[in-house]
Amino acid sequence: MTTHDEKGAAGSAPEVRRDFIRDIIDEDNRTGRWGGRVVTRFPPEPNGYLHIGHAKSICLNFGIAAQYGGRCHLRFDDTNPTKEEQEYVDSILGDVRWLGWDWGKHLYYASDYFQQMYDWAIQLVKSGKAYVCDQTAEEVREFRGTLTQPGRESPWRNRSIEENLDLFIRMKNGEFPDGSRTLRAKIDMAHPNLNMRDPVMYRILHADHHRTGGKWCIYPMYDWAHGLEDSVEQITHSICTLEFENHRPLYDWFLDALGIYHPQQIEFARLNLTYTVMSKRKLLRLVQDKLVGGWDDPRLPTISGMRRRGYSPEAIRYFCQVIGVNKFNSTVDMALLEHCIRETLNKTSPRVMAVLRPLKVVIENYPEGQVEWMDAINNPEDPGAGSRKVPFGRVLYIEREDFMENPPKKFFRLSPGKEVRLRYAYFITCREAIKDAAGHVIELRCTYDPATRGGDAPDGRKVKATLHWVAAEQAIDAEVRLYETLFTRENPDDMPEGQDFTACINPKSLEVLTECKVEPSLKDAAPLTRYQFERMGYFCVDSDSSAVRPVFNRTVTLKDAWAKIQQKGSE
Ligand code: ATP
Ligand code: MG
């Protein structure tokens, strides 16, 4: 289900919004709970690329640190060797930096704490709070019980401290095969919270780790590891998503059992977006099965995909500010994200002219070989952006859809006998449409009025349409990629019985136009440069682009679906 409670927020977001987490921090600062310190962290697991959901968490954690004069750690939660890779670490570093945040010297890896974690585990074994269990994963699950039924105690639960110590050390020394034993916390198999029923702390896994190599063959489980990482780093507010709310008692139990520095875990609602998927497992599947072009495919909600698509870091940060932070899971409309992108790009993107589906126009009364360089404004929203010259000549291109041979009543653009304005240039009138053998219009013959140079008629006559255009002689050939949502369903996570989420991939999510003509000022545009193509939307130079073959991605259209939704809501 989509909720629109964010309605009205866009466009009026204050610099820093209030939220329940900032309220907690204010209160902590008032009571002196942390001695005025504010230390947060962003703890990604390097098992995939970051997505817009992570951006919400990043902006929250780094934003709070910045606002309160504290600090935010970037910590790789690299406790699972089989799924983690250096490639992901590198991409995450790049993405957080690109979003505009700085962790300073506070870059950490959970794997650097493996020895400390192990020592703490020994401490729990020695105090009788952890035991080595020989149950298989299957048996552990079976004995755990359910929400309505208490669990049963493992037959290994009452081993002596000496035996536990001996077995655990031997587990670490590599004497036992994968899956044969675990170290478990001794809590309560009848606890109403299933997470408290003797959770596994360590498993045996003879696998090389991307940083520690073959040093370890036991690896800590998330719930055991995470609080310890926070404790080592003296985090004050450990902010995570709502799924971890009923893990908090366990987070607290471990830290209290050890008697070590104890941060406060706080949960907030994760971001969900319509028409996309956010689970790393699903994103990985799309990439591995080549259903998209890679992690940075501009249709993905990944940070690298959005960057390539043309979203700016400011726009993503603005979006995160607009959606705010709360305690209830909901799904944000993709239209709101695009609205935020548009608002930001509108202020910062130079306007240029590009014709995506060209139709040739010959101005019959314009002197052959003549070129005039017309003044074109770079950004009406930004007077400081100045102007540039665009060439005008006898042969031009206009957008195919700007001409109709037999127009309906309200079509004010070009048709036989009609006059329109060419932006920054002249009024032209269509005299004739030339067709090929199949009857398709392939060229327009027009005339221009030399008195209308710059776009105004001295006799005051008006035209109802202004078209963009590109002069043929100086035009640059380009490829343009148009994107729609990657999925046709609003919620691809909620498929009909028996259908995989890939069944609703939008076959029209990518359209490649190869015959485009763009104005010469775009000649050496560097990858990732953003523009507004007048009347066509916002576009960004693709990373595949070259001087030989410029490629542009459509970032977002000009039509603001969010404004419409807002309007409807207030009617
Ligand atoms: P997945 O469950 O898809 O594997 P994850 O959430 O476990 O992803 P992590 O790398 O562990 O991925 O996430 C790092 C941080 O980002 C965590 O603190 C997590 O709470 C936060 N995060 C992840 N997804 C979202 C989301 N959709 N909205 C807000 N925060 C998120
Ligand atoms: Mg995780």
Side-chain angles (χ1 to χ4, degrees):
M1 218 195 73
T2 310
T3 58
H4 295 299
D5 24 23
E6 303 81 8
K7 219 180 308 165
S12 57
E15 255 310 289
V16 174
R17 290 187 94 180
R18 298 297 324 160
D19 57 58
F20 76 97
I21 297 180
R22 288 172 166 92
D23 288 344
I24 292 172
I25 295 173
D26 285 341
E27 180 62 11
D28 286 349
N29 282 344
R30 199 184 60 79
T31 61
R33 180 172 178 194
W34 307 103
R37 288 187 315 123
V38 176
V39 185
T40 57
R41 85 282 173 269
F42 172 64
E45 185 180 350
N47 62 351
Y49 280 56
L50 297 182
H51 52 60
I52 183 79
H54 291 116
K56 176 176 180 179
S57 175
I58 291 168
C59 291
L60 178 61
N61 281 293
F62 281 94
I64 282 175
Q67 182 186 344
Y68 288 92
R71 60 177 202 254
C72 179
H73 298 180
L74 176 58
R75 178 205 308 149
F76 288 101
D77 206 349
D78 56 349
T79 53
N80 182 1
T82 57
K83 290 187 178 160
E84 296 162 4
E85 288 172 26
Q86 190 60 38
E87 177 196 346
Y88 299 138
V89 170
D90 296 338
S91 74
I92 290 168
L93 291 169
D95 286 351
V96 176
R97 212 176 280 128
W98 178 77
L99 279 172
W101 303 105
D102 182 10
W103 52 86
K105 55 184 195 252
H106 300 286
L107 175 63
Y108 302 107
Y109 293 85
S111 55
D112 287 345
Y113 313 144
F114 281 169
Q115 182 64 44
Q116 172 71 78
M117 290 178 191
Y118 173 77
D119 293 342
W120 273 329
I122 294 276
Q123 184 188 326
L124 287 197
V125 171
K126 283 184 176 164
S127 61
K129 289 176 180 161
Y131 63 97
V132 172
C133 180
D134 299 1
Q135 285 189 319
T136 61
E138 180 70 19
E139 286 167 333
V140 169
R141 213 171 304 127
E142 205 184 299
F143 275 60
R144 182 174 296 131
T146 63
L147 279 175
T148 49
Q149 277 191 328
R152 283 174 291 149
E153 295 189 349
S154 160
W156 315 102
R157 194 175 201 262
N158 294 311
R159 276 176 160 151
S160 70
I161 288 178
E162 291 67 37
E163 192 184 2
N164 282 322
L165 204 51
D166 172 62
L167 287 173
F168 183 50
I169 291 170
R170 288 165 61 195
M171 269 172 68
K172 185 208 68 163
N173 290 342
E175 289 187 32
F176 310 121
D178 288 1
S180 58
R181 291 195 158 96
T182 56
L183 183 74
R184 297 176 68 178
K186 195 169 180 174
I187 306 181
D188 179 1
M189 287 308 291
H191 201 287
N193 183 338
L194 269 66
N195 294 313
M196 300 294 276
R197 295 184 187 171
D198 292 12
V200 172
M201 296 161 60
Y202 274 98
R203 59 196 173 129
I204 302 174
L205 192 62
H206 293 267
D208 276 359
H209 184 278
H210 73 112
R211 295 191 84 239
T212 58
K215 179 155 187 246
W216 296 90
C217 65
I218 54 170
Y219 288 96
M221 304 301 287
Y222 178 89
D223 281 330
W224 162 244
H226 203 85
L228 307 186
E229 297 159 18
D230 287 343
S231 181
V232 170
E233 294 174 19
Q234 304 261 309
I235 300 299
T236 54
H237 302 87
S238 175
I239 301 168
C240 61
T241 42
L242 281 183
E243 319 83 91
F244 292 99
E245 192 161 20
N246 58 11
H247 294 241
R248 180 162 20 102
L250 182 54
Y251 180 99
D252 292 339
W253 189 91
F254 281 132
L255 295 172
D256 289 342
L258 291 165
I260 57 177
Y261 176 89
H262 190 155
Q264 173 70 54
Q265 177 179 306
I266 302 169
E267 308 84 15
F268 73 102
R270 66 193 296 120
L271 170 66
N272 301 297
L273 261 187
T274 56
Y275 297 103
T276 192
V277 294
M278 216 92 90
S279 125
K280 278 196 267 189
R281 187 178 55 78
K282 287 182 178 165
L283 294 172
L284 182 64
R285 170 87 194 286
L286 291 170
V287 172
Q288 283 182 337
D289 290 1
K290 303 212 181 324
L291 297 166
V292 295
W295 283 102
D296 67 348
D297 188 298
R299 291 167 292 178
L300 290 181
T302 53
I303 304 299
S304 51
M306 291 180 165
R307 173 169 56 231
R308 187 168 172 188
R309 173 115 171 211
Y311 290 17
S312 65
E314 296 76 24
I316 293 176
R317 292 202 305 264
Y318 174 57
F319 169 71
C320 290
Q321 203 181 91
V322 165
I323 58 174
V325 181
N326 62 40
K327 272 256 174 206
F328 307 95
N329 278 317
S330 68
T331 302
V332 173
D333 201 311
M334 183 66 97
L336 173 59
L337 172 60
E338 296 199 334
H339 169 83
C340 293
I341 303 302
R342 229 175 251 120
E343 287 234 318
T344 317
L345 292 180
N346 180 40
K347 295 185 196 114
T348 53
S349 308
R351 274 59 168 166
V352 292
M353 294 200 284
V355 174
L356 304 191
R357 298 174 179 89
L359 175 60
K360 188 173 162 189
V361 170
V362 178
I363 314 284
E364 292 183 319
N365 58 340
Y366 194 84
E368 206 120 14
Q370 178 172 311
V371 181
E372 281 177 275
W373 291 85
M374 308 306 230
D375 282 318
I377 294 165
N378 287 335
N379 187 352
E381 300 283 325
D382 175 7
S387 64
R388 68 190 184 288
K389 300 275 186 191
V390 291
F392 184 86
R394 182 178 154 89
V395 184
L396 314 165
Y397 294 106
I398 63 164
E399 212 66 59
R400 203 157 259 291
E401 65 182 20
D402 282 337
F403 173 79
M404 277 184 95
E405 194 174 16
N406 301 300
K409 229 177 157 168
K410 293 219 160 149
F411 186 85
F412 299 117
R413 292 168 275 166
L414 214 50
S415 53
K418 272 262 187 62
E419 186 172 50
V420 298
R421 175 189 294 111
L422 292 182
R423 185 113 161 110
Y424 304 124
Y426 294 103
F427 285 13
I428 63 165
T429 304
C430 178
R431 302 297 168 189
E432 189 191 354
I434 299 186
K435 296 179 184 171
D436 64 9
H440 297 123
V441 174
I442 51 166
E443 183 180 317
L444 301 180
R445 308 297 288 193
C446 301
T447 54
Y448 84 119
D449 177 356
T452 57
R453 193 178 199 278
D456 282 308
D459 63 5
R461 82 181 182 277
K462 299 279 179 225
V463 286
K464 282 203 168 139
T466 301
L467 309 187
H468 64 279
W469 52 275
V470 172
E473 196 189 328
Q474 294 84 3
I476 297 169
D477 293 309
E479 176 177 317
V480 170
R481 300 173 186 166
L482 305 179
Y483 302 100
E484 298 288 337
T485 58
L486 184 53
F487 296 96
T488 52
R489 277 178 87 84
E490 191 168 291
N491 182 2
D493 290 323
D494 178 28
M495 295 294 285
E497 198 51 38
Q499 270 190 42
D500 186 69
F501 77 101
T502 55
C504 70
I505 287 184
N506 180 3
K508 290 192 252 167
S509 59
L510 169 62
E511 185 184 356
V512 181
L513 304 176
T514 55
E515 315 268 293
C516 312
K517 305 283 184 183
V518 303
E519 64 168 72
S521 74
L522 293 175
K523 185 162 178 297
D524 296 310
L528 301 188
T529 315
R530 305 178 190 94
Y531 297 96
Q532 185 191 106
F533 288 0
E534 295 215 19
R535 301 176 62 230
M536 303 310 282
Y538 293 96
F539 292 77
C540 171
V541 183
D542 188 71
S543 45
D544 279 352
S545 192
S546 69
V548 184
R549 182 117 201 100
V551 179
F552 296 88
N553 293 316
R554 183 170 69 195
T555 310
V556 67
T557 61
L558 292 176
K559 240 194 324 218
D560 193 340
W562 183 253
K564 250 190 214 144
I565 292 167
Q566 274 186 294
Q567 213 168 22
K568 249 192 229 151
S570 61
E571 266 165 19

